[in-house]
Amino acid sequence: MMTLMMLVPPALVLAAATLGFARPGHLGRGALRAIEGLVIGALASALLAAGLLIASGPGTSPLMGASEIGLSVRLDAVSAVMLLLVGFVGWVVVRFAGTYLDGEAWQGRFMAWLCATLASVMLLVVAGNLVLLAAAWIGIGIGLRRLLLFYPDRPAAQRAARKQLVFARAGDVMLVAAALILAIAYGTTDIGTIIAAARAGGGGDAAHGAALLLAVAALFKSAQFPTHGWLTEVMEAPTPVSALLHAGVINAGGFLLIRFADVMLLSPAALAGLVMIGGFTALFAGMVMLTQPAVKTSLAWSTIAQMGFMIMQCGLALFPLALLHLVAHSLYKAHAFLSSGGAIERIATFRRPGIVDIPGPAAVARAFVVALLIYGLIGGAIGFLGQSPQALALGAILIFGIAYLLAQGLAEAAPAALTRRLAVLATVASLGYFALHVVANWLIEGSVPQPPAPGPLEWVLIALTVVSFGLVAVAQAMFPLWAYHPAAAGLRAHFSNGLYVNAMTDRLLGGWAVRSTSSSNPRVSA
């Protein structure tokens, strides 16, 4: 029963892909409705799977195959949440793409690869064995590259696809190698058995090596520094591709780490690497995002930053919060991309409650004090007790962001309406952090481990993370005071170009070529 229920969603989306491949050109209204209907059926099946989890509890289906190779699915809180997320975002993207691509000569082929990629993501999140997981992981990369090359004659699209190919294949190699090591170390390809053995402390040095490879695979998949360049050029593909990334494609790296959280805890070195690379990527991409004039480019850099923050959460062993962040970011960022066309009009019609004053040092200091007081009062009332040091550190980082907002309302000439509004938002955000943390822990209790007590290395990383984000928050709050200084102008120019990391990547990969094709035949080399 479980096998059939969990395989229905990807099977229905694959059927939708088949309709697109059968009619690669312009799709009629009937074909579009059939494709959307199949995707809606997949979402409904995901809801039924969640109901099965509530009724029967977590578990892994028997393997349909031989020699540890075949189909098996794992149903737990992680897979159920991810399947619902992918099904919902996938339906929205498919519906949007049906209108967005209307009139395109190869509309059917686009819808086919869109659905094929969605099906691969669904197989990834429900996979019960390493073989199926690795195959789905590879399938996501293949489908995404086809979508990036929907306009194959665009040089920028070729560059993006070329970089995505290199990094995706590198990530594939890392994951396959990790899967082989895990299969040998634990004597099985069953993910549930591996997780249980790792939670008991089994695996030894082999598990440590596999965790390192899993970490590298996740970094490649989630476009972490310095492999992020292709994501900033994804706008060369149709807008639905940008939204599709948030249906378990760009955030598949986070899912991988959450799925093998118990294995990751066996390697402090791997977790430390995730904290440092993820944290740096979040800070770096966040600064670059602020310098981007184009809406979609700014959103792309925001995605890189958010993926870095999610990776950092995994490195801090805050796996429940990482899953919560993955879901929340996917929903709002997919919406942001799909609605980006009207962003200029919405900003133009936005009414401010009064003049916006530049906060001085005193206002910034007051903002941080008020934010810390809010954090202390709400945290003390709701749940400082029982919270891990890692979670408290993450809450402090949230407070830095709140302080940045409060600084605008505490400036000398700030209108009272703005001050009141920001104070309410700061209180709600702090309350929401602790409340959502409690909900996330309750929702996936038992599916992923809780963060262990930090050792000396973890304490150093926690302190480094809090200090780094705190300094950046202060710098951002104070930036308007020195924005027009010549040194700031030069720094802004460098950050607007991403510190030229993408240009260096292009030069390093300059020998790689994508076969040029005419617009009448969108087939490209895999």
Side-chain angles (χ1 to χ4, degrees):
M1 175 66 177
M2 182 189 299
T3 304
L4 292 176
M5 181 61 66
M6 296 296 283
L7 288 178
V8 166
L12 289 175
V13 180
L14 277 176
T18 302
L19 290 178
F21 285 124
R23 299 184 60 180
H26 180 71
L27 292 175
R29 188 178 300 273
L32 287 173
R33 286 180 176 175
I35 290 174
E36 183 182 355
L38 288 168
V39 176
I40 292 175
L43 175 58
S45 300
L47 286 169
L48 291 176
L52 180 62
L53 172 64
I54 296 173
S56 304
T60 302
S61 71
L63 180 72
M64 297 172 56
S67 302
E68 299 288 337
I69 299 175
L71 288 175
S72 65
V73 294
R74 179 168 179 79
L75 176 61
D76 59 8
V78 175
S79 60
V81 168
M82 287 297 299
L83 192 61
L84 284 171
L85 172 68
V86 176
F88 176 71
V89 176
W91 165 55
V92 173
V93 174
V94 166
R95 183 176 179 84
F96 182 91
T99 302
Y100 187 88
L101 272 295
D102 188 33
E104 288 282 352
W106 297 100
Q107 181 186 22
R109 190 177 297 279
F110 179 88
M111 298 296 289
W113 282 112
L114 179 68
C115 292
T117 306
L118 275 174
S120 297
V121 177
M122 288 181 171
L123 284 173
L124 176 76
V125 301
V126 305
N129 65 84
L130 297 173
V131 177
L132 181 59
L133 182 136
W137 180 275
I138 295 171
I140 292 172
I142 294 173
L144 177 58
R145 182 166 183 267
R146 293 286 187 171
L147 292 170
L148 291 176
L149 285 170
F150 181 69
Y151 299 117
D153 290 332
R154 293 183 178 181
Q158 294 184 8
R159 283 199 307 270
R162 181 165 63 245
K163 284 178 282 193
Q164 187 271 339
L165 171 66
V166 173
F167 297 137
R169 291 296 180 269
D172 294 346
V173 171
M174 295 298 106
L175 179 62
V176 170
L180 288 173
I181 293 174
L182 288 173
I184 295 172
Y186 294 102
T188 180
T189 63
D190 182 75
I191 293 175
T193 303
I194 292 172
I195 291 173
R199 187 166 297 186
D205 292 338
H208 171 71
L212 289 172
L213 291 171
L214 289 171
V216 176
L219 294 174
F220 276 123
K221 182 68 81 173
S222 294
Q224 295 299 280
F225 183 92
T227 68
H228 60 274
W230 67 269
L231 185 55
T232 64
E233 297 170 347
V234 76
M235 283 70 64
E236 293 299 320
T239 296
V241 178
S242 300
L244 174 69
L245 290 177
H246 301 87
V249 178
I250 190 67
N251 38 33
F255 167 77
L256 182 71
L257 297 174
I258 295 168
R259 170 55 78 208
F260 291 100
D262 294 282
V263 176
M264 299 305 301
L265 290 180
L266 299 176
S267 178
L271 294 178
L274 292 173
V275 172
M276 290 185 287
I277 296 176
F280 177 80
T281 301
L283 293 173
F284 162 74
M287 295 296 289
V288 175
M289 177 197 69
L290 297 176
T291 66
Q292 301 303 305
V295 174
K296 289 185 180 180
T297 304
S298 178
L299 289 174
W301 280 104
S302 172
T303 293
I304 296 171
Q306 294 287 348
M307 292 300 99
F309 200 80
M310 179 188 65
I311 293 293
M312 185 188 74
Q313 287 175 308
C314 291
L316 292 172
L318 296 170
F319 297 105
L321 286 181
L323 181 62
L324 175 64
H325 183 217
L326 189 159
V327 173
H329 173 255
S330 296
L331 293 174
Y332 97 79
K333 190 55 69 65
H335 172 268
F337 271 109
L338 294 180
S339 62
S340 60
I344 303 300
E345 290 79 4
R346 289 193 299 274
I347 293 174
T349 58
F350 178 75
R351 290 188 176 183
R352 299 182 183 276
I355 62 173
V356 177
D357 190 23
I358 296 177
V364 173
R366 288 195 301 270
F368 274 84
V369 171
V370 172
L372 288 173
L373 286 175
I374 292 173
Y375 182 49
L377 290 173
I378 295 179
I382 293 183
F384 269 146
L385 297 177
Q387 296 284 341
S388 66
Q390 295 94 319
L392 295 177
L394 202 68
I397 294 173
L398 170 71
I399 286 301
F400 295 148
I402 289 175
Y404 170 72
L405 292 177
L406 284 174
Q408 308 296 317
L410 295 176
E412 297 296 335
L418 178 63
T419 303
R420 288 193 300 269
R421 181 183 299 180
L422 292 178
V424 171
L425 289 176
T427 304
V428 171
S430 300
L431 182 64
Y433 169 75
F434 285 105
L436 289 174
H437 190 181
V438 172
V439 171
N441 281 325
W442 169 78
L443 182 63
I444 61 175
E445 183 179 4
S447 296
V448 297
Q450 293 298 314
L457 174 61
E458 287 75 21
W459 278 115
V460 170
L461 291 173
I462 290 172
L464 180 62
T465 300
V466 173
V467 170
S468 298
F469 279 86
L471 291 175
V472 170
V474 172
Q476 287 182 328
M478 301 287 289
F479 181 77
L481 296 176
W482 47 274
Y484 298 101
H485 190 279
L491 188 62
R492 184 183 182 90
H494 295 316
F495 270 106
S496 66
N497 288 284
L499 299 183
Y500 313 102
V501 175
N502 197 24
M504 289 187 285
T505 303
D506 286 332
R507 180 165 294 185
L508 287 173
L509 301 180
W512 293 75
V514 177
R515 187 173 63 195
S516 178
T517 59
S518 66
S519 59
S520 61
N521 184 5
R523 302 184 181 214
V524 293
S525 57

